[in-house]
Amino acid sequence: MNYSELLHDFVENSLSTQHEETLFQALAVDEELRFELKYLLTLRDTIREDEEAGFVPLATTDSIFKTLGYTAPIAVGAGSGVAASQIGLISLIKTWGGYLVASLVGTLLATSVFLMVDDSREVVFANQKTTTGDNVEASSSVAANTEEASNPVLAETEGMQERRTSVAPRTIQHSIQAEAPKRQKLSTQTETTTTTTTRLTAQGTTQAEPTTTAKNVTPQDASTDDDPTITAAQTTSDNSISSQELNHVNSENREAAAMAVTPIDNSEKVTEPRSSASLSIDKIDNSVNNPVNYIKQQPAPFSAHVRGITVPVDLETSQLQLPVADPGLENVALGISYPLSPHFSVVLEGGKESYLLSFTTPKDDGRVFLHEVQPSVIWGAAGIRYNWLTTSRFTPFGQFLIGSSEAGLMGRGMVGTNWSITDRIGLTAGAEYSLVGYRYLGDLNFSDRVGLTYGLTIDFGR
Amino acid sequence: MIADEDGNKRGELAFTELYQRYARRIHAYCFRILSSTEDAEDAFQETFLRFHKTVKAGGVMTNVSGLIFTIARNLCINLKKKNTRWASDDIDDHTISSYDSTYDQKELLNLVKTSLELINPDYREAFVLREYNGFSYDEIARMLDVSVPTAKIRVFRAKEKIRKVLEPYLKDLLSI
């Protein structure tokens, strides 16, 4: 056996130890032999990279299976050589299609839940402010400022009540606008006005209102002649046309009249009260240090987070004591969340985790063969997170995601809390449960696990 | 193996499983044995159709891979005979025309493929079965109906021939 043959055997890992020693001695002194060794190793590596030869075109596979009347394989099991070599759009869809579909489904699910459950974001938001307790007066003022600073009905403090007296004319006119489309007969017009005034009085408006109201409905104070209310009041005092005629006119122009009430110009009357309210609101502490405002700033436009899954417990126990196939970057998840409201966020997550997959194959002689694999699979999921904003710094949450993994469809549930260390950075800790469904020979199997999780959250765009 | 008497699902699933297991290797074999891509695709498809027909006809198989590769090999030989000469060429008459001082892995692969087409078909076949398909020398010997040492010698000779073809460029190749 010459040195070339020894090299050949060495590269194929079939050289005996005795011959290895001989070969190594020769390699140490023979440059040509070292060059030949390089050639053999390069040739071996090059052929291993020759994926083109093993690439089976999808059309070829389709043609074979169509000829046989079978369905061409799309979902590929572990160990398939065909799937690994599929390239192009089909391969791309197969690789990322599951994640894409899962993301879309998760987003739709999250949006649906959000629309069904959280139908009054502003109210919820305002309620949260009052729960902080440190500055109730400030909270109410901020609420008024947030929703409509010029609407005195929302003001609850004494100071605001004082200002309400001067704002009353505007309030009455708003009420009249609301009542105007309901008027059917001229004879009831005065009564309607009175009713409105009474209601406002019941809401705590001062007794000066009836006087103000009476003044308000006179044509001289009206900023527009299109106001049907004012027209009615004027008509009542003039008695120049009959009620039937007016009713006729009123029914013909009802739609126009309803629209015409909108552009009432109260700018002069409201200017002063608005200024008063603004002065009061300006005194409110708008800084981040105010816990009310801290919550007001929540949530950030979107957050990114990274977390690890520790102390995992495989609820499916391996009978064969399998090692994890690929421990690299195991049990890590990355994700982003986008708030739909202070309570709800859409969450997209991806990560890598190992699951025990078991397959049983019955043989003709009655024996059952058990196959187990524990691959480290990449997964992606989307869903919704619900935050409980009970304090300014700690935010307990629960989230539910659905998605897909390399093994099959996946569902994930998690409860935990987020601790905001700064405005942008927070720590997350909690517990998580995940379930993977996978198919083998048409049967659906499941593998699940539970574990603790912790991680870092970064808010962007605040 | 493939219980397809009733056209049931298990037969289809079994065939799909075997296809997924062997398609890549059979394709690589056909692709490297036959220089024509069209011939290789024809041989590949026909291999699995005949394999399906064979197992459907009944009989117990002890060596699935051996059966599939035997079918593929016979088809490749027939296609070679039909289209070109299935004969040995003298390696010394050939050189690779394209040459560039810079090579990457793909260019090296192309050179190796070209070299394969220039060497003795017997050597090539043994080399492909060994290097591309990963068969042991025992398996190659059984498939080619030769002794194990002969199979081993053929693979060795193939590597020597390829080296001879690539000789002018090896300095650059090995600097990768």
Side-chain angles (χ1 to χ4, degrees):
Chain A
M1 187 178 277
N2 60 32
Y3 284 126
S4 290
E5 290 172 336
L6 290 178
L7 270 181
H8 179 262
D9 286 353
F10 174 72
V11 171
E12 294 200 333
N13 203 26
S14 60
L15 189 65
S16 66
T17 309
Q18 182 187 354
H19 285 126
E20 266 186 11
E21 201 169 321
T22 307
L23 179 64
F24 290 158
Q25 287 174 356
L27 282 170
V29 295
D30 191 339
E31 189 176 351
E32 181 67 22
L33 201 59
R34 288 199 296 271
F35 186 80
E36 190 173 350
L37 174 61
K38 279 186 180 179
Y39 157 72
L40 289 173
L41 292 173
T42 304
L43 181 66
R44 184 191 65 185
D45 294 342
T46 301
I47 290 170
R48 284 179 181 175
E49 294 295 320
D50 187 7
E51 294 185 351
E52 180 194 16
F55 172 66
V56 184
L58 202 63
T60 305
T61 300
D62 282 340
S63 175
I64 292 171
F65 279 75
K66 197 172 288 182
T67 304
L68 297 174
Y70 292 160
T71 304
I74 298 297
V76 181
S80 165
V82 179
S85 62
Q86 296 290 354
I87 57 176
L89 183 60
I90 297 297
S91 177
L92 195 67
I93 292 172
K94 284 167 63 178
T95 305
W96 297 104
Y99 303 121
L100 184 64
V101 170
S103 299
L104 290 174
V105 170
T107 304
L108 285 174
L109 180 72
T111 307
S112 302
V113 172
F114 167 70
L115 291 175
M116 284 188 295
V117 176
D118 197 36
D119 57 349
S120 181
R121 282 178 287 174
E122 291 298 328
V123 172
V124 172
F125 206 24
N127 289 340
Q128 285 159 4
K129 289 167 190 163
T130 57
T131 59
T132 57
D134 292 341
N135 190 348
V136 175
E137 182 176 340
S139 298
S140 300
S141 301
V142 171
N145 188 30
T146 303
E147 299 199 8
E148 189 178 358
S150 61
N151 188 350
V153 176
L154 292 178
E156 296 295 331
T157 61
E158 289 184 8
M160 293 298 283
Q161 282 185 347
E162 289 174 6
R163 285 188 292 277
R164 188 181 299 155
T165 305
S166 59
V167 179
R170 172 179 163 80
T171 307
I172 292 167
Q173 287 217 357
H174 274 285
S175 300
I176 292 171
Q177 287 175 47
E179 297 292 341
K182 296 178 182 177
R183 283 185 292 110
Q184 296 297 321
K185 293 180 180 179
L186 179 63
S187 59
T188 61
Q189 177 53 41
T190 305
E191 190 179 325
T192 303
T193 305
T194 306
T195 303
T196 304
T197 305
T198 304
R199 183 166 62 81
L200 288 169
T201 303
Q203 288 175 353
T205 313
T206 63
Q207 293 300 317
E209 287 181 20
T211 306
T212 311
T213 303
K215 182 184 177 184
N216 186 48
V217 297
T218 58
Q220 290 77 11
D221 285 346
S223 57
T224 173
D225 293 336
D226 293 330
D227 186 355
T229 304
I230 296 169
T231 303
Q234 188 178 8
T235 306
T236 306
S237 61
D238 291 347
N239 286 326
S240 57
I241 59 174
S242 67
S243 61
Q244 288 78 9
E245 286 174 320
L246 182 63
N247 204 22
H248 174 68
V249 171
N250 211 16
S251 85
E252 279 188 348
N253 300 302
R254 184 169 297 160
E255 186 175 342
M259 294 178 65
V261 298
T262 305
I264 293 175
D265 184 7
N266 292 314
S267 56
E268 277 190 26
K269 295 178 181 177
V270 177
T271 299
E272 187 176 348
R274 272 184 179 168
S275 299
S276 302
S278 298
L279 284 172
S280 175
I281 290 168
D282 287 343
K283 294 174 185 175
I284 295 170
D285 181 9
N286 285 321
S287 68
V288 179
N289 295 329
N290 185 341
V292 174
N293 294 315
Y294 179 80
I295 295 175
K296 181 184 173 184
Q297 291 185 0
Q298 293 279 15
F302 74 89
S303 304
H305 57 263
V306 56
R307 61 184 179 84
I309 305 165
T310 62
V311 202
V313 178
D314 292 314
L315 301 179
E316 296 289 327
T317 54
S318 170
Q319 298 180 35
L320 306 178
Q321 299 297 313
L322 285 173
V324 175
D326 179 12
L329 283 178
E330 182 77 9
N331 298 327
V332 172
L334 293 169
I336 58 172
S337 62
Y338 182 84
L340 300 173
S341 75
H343 278 305
F344 287 96
S345 301
V346 172
V347 179
L348 294 174
E349 274 195 349
K352 193 176 182 186
E353 206 171 346
S354 67
Y355 290 89
L356 176 67
L357 311 180
S358 299
F359 312 93
T360 53
T361 307
K363 296 295 181 185
D364 293 338
D365 58 5
R367 291 179 298 166
V368 176
F369 281 78
L370 171 67
H371 312 277
E372 285 186 344
V373 291
Q374 187 150 1
S376 185
V377 298
I378 297 173
W379 57 267
I384 195 164
R385 172 182 290 194
Y386 183 83
N387 297 297
W388 286 275
L389 294 173
T390 55
T391 69
S392 60
R393 295 289 180 187
F394 288 91
T395 307
F397 67 87
Q399 73 176 33
F400 174 71
L401 310 177
I402 60 172
S404 178
S405 71
E406 291 177 308
L409 292 177
M410 167 181 280
R412 306 183 74 88
M414 175 182 169
V415 291
T417 186
N418 188 61
W419 174 37
S420 298
I421 302 173
T422 69
D423 284 350
R424 290 182 180 277
I425 299 174
L427 293 178
T428 299
E432 186 177 38
Y433 172 82
S434 58
L435 178 71
V436 166
Y438 56 97
R439 285 191 172 278
Y440 179 67
L441 292 177
D443 298 328
L444 183 61
N445 305 283
F446 293 98
S447 180
D448 53 3
R449 66 187 312 192
V450 65
L452 300 178
T453 180
Y454 65 93
L456 185 68
T457 301
I458 303 173
D459 294 338
F460 293 95
R462 174 171 291 164
Chain B
M1 191 69 175
I2 299 179
D4 201 23
E5 296 92 352
D6 303 323
N8 60 25
K9 196 73 179 172
R10 293 191 74 86
E12 182 177 343
L13 288 170
F15 179 79
T16 303
E17 175 66 26
L18 291 174
Y19 180 84
Q20 290 181 325
R21 191 177 298 175
Y22 293 108
R24 184 178 167 85
R25 295 164 71 186
I26 293 292
H27 195 271
Y29 174 83
C30 297
F31 215 71
R32 290 291 166 252
I33 292 294
L34 300 169
S35 50
S36 164
T37 305
E38 287 183 6
D39 287 347
E41 292 294 338
D42 288 344
F44 173 77
Q45 289 192 41
E46 190 62 25
T47 297
F48 278 96
L49 294 177
R50 289 196 184 187
F51 170 71
H52 182 268
K53 189 177 178 180
T54 302
V55 295
K56 199 175 178 183
V60 177
M61 277 183 296
T62 55
N63 186 356
V64 176
S65 66
L67 174 63
I68 298 177
F69 271 94
T70 300
I71 295 171
R73 180 170 181 263
N74 291 335
L75 286 167
C76 287
I77 290 173
N78 290 338
L79 279 170
K80 269 283 186 184
K81 283 179 180 173
K82 184 180 176 183
N83 297 332
T84 60
R85 300 190 312 276
W86 181 260
S88 173
D89 295 326
D90 188 350
I91 200 78
D92 296 328
D93 296 337
H94 298 279
T95 56
I96 298 173
S97 57
S98 64
Y99 173 74
D100 193 316
S101 59
T102 55
Y103 295 96
D104 60 14
Q105 194 80 4
K106 193 173 181 181
E107 287 173 314
L108 176 58
L109 195 58
N110 286 332
L111 289 174
V112 172
K113 286 188 310 192
T114 307
S115 306
L116 270 177
E117 294 174 13
L118 299 176
I119 65 176
N120 185 303
D122 291 337
Y123 296 166
R124 181 196 313 164
E125 188 173 30
F127 178 82
V128 168
L129 288 171
R130 175 67 183 170
E131 298 297 329
Y132 280 90
N133 301 130
F135 283 114
S136 68
Y137 286 113
D138 286 342
E139 291 171 315
I140 295 171
R142 279 201 299 272
M143 281 183 214
L144 304 182
D145 197 21
V146 296
S147 66
V148 173
T150 301
K152 202 170 181 180
I153 285 293
R154 285 185 179 181
V155 174
F156 178 74
R157 292 272 186 266
K159 290 179 180 176
E160 291 288 298
K161 295 289 183 185
I162 292 171
R163 186 188 171 190
K164 197 171 181 180
V165 173
L166 299 178
E167 192 81 61
Y169 324 111
L170 277 178
K171 291 290 183 187
D172 282 330
L173 285 171
L174 299 186
S175 67
I176 294 173

